[in-house]
Structures are given as C-alpha cells and as structure tokens.
Amino acid sequence: MIQACLNGGCGAPAPATPDDIACAARAAVDAGAEALHIHPRGADGAESLAPEDVSSCLLRVRAAVPGIPIGLGTGAWIAPGGRARHALMRAWTELPDYVSVNLCEEDAPEVMRLMQQMGIGIEAGLWSKADAIRFVEENLPPVLRVLIEMPDVAPEDAAAEAETILRMLPNGLPMLLHGMGRSTWGMVNMAFARGLDTRIGFEDTVQMPDGTQAPDNAALVWAVRELGNAQ
C-alpha cells in the first residue's frame, strides 16, 4: 500500500486549502496512492484540529476521492498544543478513517484511547527505539498499523534504527515504513524489500529519487509506484 502524505510542516509547495488538498488527493490517487494522510489548515494557514477546519477539509477530499481511506495527523505541536487539543478532537463531527499518534508525545496513550472511543483507527507512530519500547510495554489500544517513521538523517543511520525497531515488534503486525528528508528514498526501498507499506508526499520530501524538485505530490507517488514495480 502506498499512502500519500500531501502536506504537513514543510510549507510551500504543499497544498494548504481544502480545495487544493482535494485536488492533490485526486491526482495522488490517480498516480497510485491507496490511502491519504493530511493536515487540515485554518484560515491563517496553520495546521488545525478545529472541528470546522477538519470537517471542511475531509468533506472536500472525500468528494474528490470517494472510498479512499483518509487519515489526519494529531501532533502535540498543533495549536492549542498538548492536552489542550483533546477538546478539539473530541468535538469533531466529521471523522477521519484513522489518525496517526506519535508515541514520543507524553499524551499519546490518552489520544489513542480517545480515538478508540470515537471509533477512529489508530496509526502508532514510532520514531525511535524508545518509542518501540513504549509501544510494546505499555497497555495501549489496538492499532490499525504501526508507522515506523525515520527522521531526516543519513540513509544508513535510518536503516540501522529501522532494523532495530522492526526486530522489536510482534510478527504479523501491519506496518508502514517511511522516511523524511535524506532518509526518504532509502526507507521506500527498504519497505518494498521487506514487503511493508510505505508513504510519500510533500510532508516527507520535495525531491524526486534523482534529487530534482518534485512538481507535485502525484509525481512522488508515481515514482514510488515505479520503484515498487521494479522490485
């Protein structure tokens, strides 16, 4: 499965308005994406978990790509930040199919339990060995999948950390492996080699495999699809 992460913290040229995100979603799905990860924005352009912003974005994207699973980020940095953002999520009226929850964040178990209560799928984001230990040892709600998320580090360092995390996780657990910045394309290739899901998009990189500027999210998805076909 290829998941398209259309926007996030990288700024331009990532889509920001609901209409632009919906257009990018349609193009990414046409290029081969089977699921989406998006970050709704408020009128000020900042990431938002406000019910009205989430609803506006989800409704437009769902109209553009009916039947495609859509996930949201829940990062603790999103205003009002920390546990104060729980009330916004609790007030959602249009629900995503799933959310990603970063295990490096203190309130991750609380967010996961809230999502479970709301009937929303959970992607457990593991950025490090420490996150993997927390995932294995704490009594957390069931997850849709685990995201092994390698930061913008040298490809060989990302590969070593990903290997460590993979060895710690239970067999048979659905997993998606991806990188960011310098680690992006190495993790895509590693995911295909291991038979894991992966993701690509302007949240993770703005560069094609050859280092040139990607014109849009769809081009990145197409490049991943071609790499997968070549495996």
Side-chain angles (χ1 to χ4, degrees):
M1 185 267 285
I2 301 173
Q3 183 185 90
C5 51
L6 302 177
N7 57 1
C10 63
T17 69
D19 287 339
D20 286 347
I21 295 170
C23 287
R26 181 68 264 171
V29 169
D30 288 344
E34 300 160 82
L36 300 171
H37 172 86
I38 61 176
H39 290 253
R41 306 269 173 169
D44 60 357
E47 293 177 63
S48 175
L49 296 171
E52 60 273 18
D53 296 325
V54 168
S55 293
S56 176
C57 191
L58 284 176
L59 288 170
R60 282 172 173 79
V61 174
R62 283 189 168 132
V65 288
I68 297 296
I70 303 171
L72 305 182
T74 62
W77 61 84
I78 303 174
R83 289 180 173 84
R85 76 197 192 287
H86 295 189
L88 293 179
M89 293 186 281
R90 195 174 288 110
W92 287 346
T93 54
E94 186 72 21
L95 303 182
D97 296 290
Y98 55 89
V99 299
S100 60
V101 181
N102 304 315
L103 267 291
C104 61
E105 295 172 355
E106 182 183 3
D107 66 339
E110 298 164 56
V111 174
M112 293 174 76
R113 285 191 287 270
L114 174 59
M115 294 300 109
Q116 182 184 39
Q117 292 165 9
M118 296 174 69
I120 298 170
I122 301 165
E123 295 181 318
L126 311 183
W127 293 6
S128 66
K129 177 182 176 181
D131 293 345
I133 292 172
R134 189 179 192 189
F135 177 78
V136 171
E137 294 185 352
E138 292 194 22
N139 184 23
L140 300 172
V143 300
L144 176 67
R145 69 178 65 90
V146 168
L147 305 184
I148 303 172
E149 309 190 79
M150 293 296 95
D152 181 9
V153 297
E156 59 271 22
D157 293 336
E161 186 76 355
E163 289 280 5
T164 297
I165 293 171
L166 285 167
R167 287 195 297 267
M168 297 173 64
L169 297 176
N171 293 329
L173 188 65
M175 301 181 202
L176 185 157
L177 172 63
H178 75 99
M180 301 177 191
R182 290 170 290 167
S183 70
T184 300
W185 293 104
M187 292 300 95
V188 167
N189 284 314
M190 185 174 177
F192 282 128
R194 295 300 186 89
L196 305 177
D197 295 334
T198 193
R199 84 174 198 183
I200 196 68
F202 280 161
E203 180 168 352
D204 290 348
T205 186
V206 295
Q207 292 185 333
M208 300 291 284
D210 63 2
T212 59
Q213 174 74 33
D216 51 29
N217 281 289
L220 291 168
V221 172
W222 183 261
V224 170
R225 183 178 173 183
E226 290 298 289
L227 286 172
N229 290 338
Q231 294 286 324

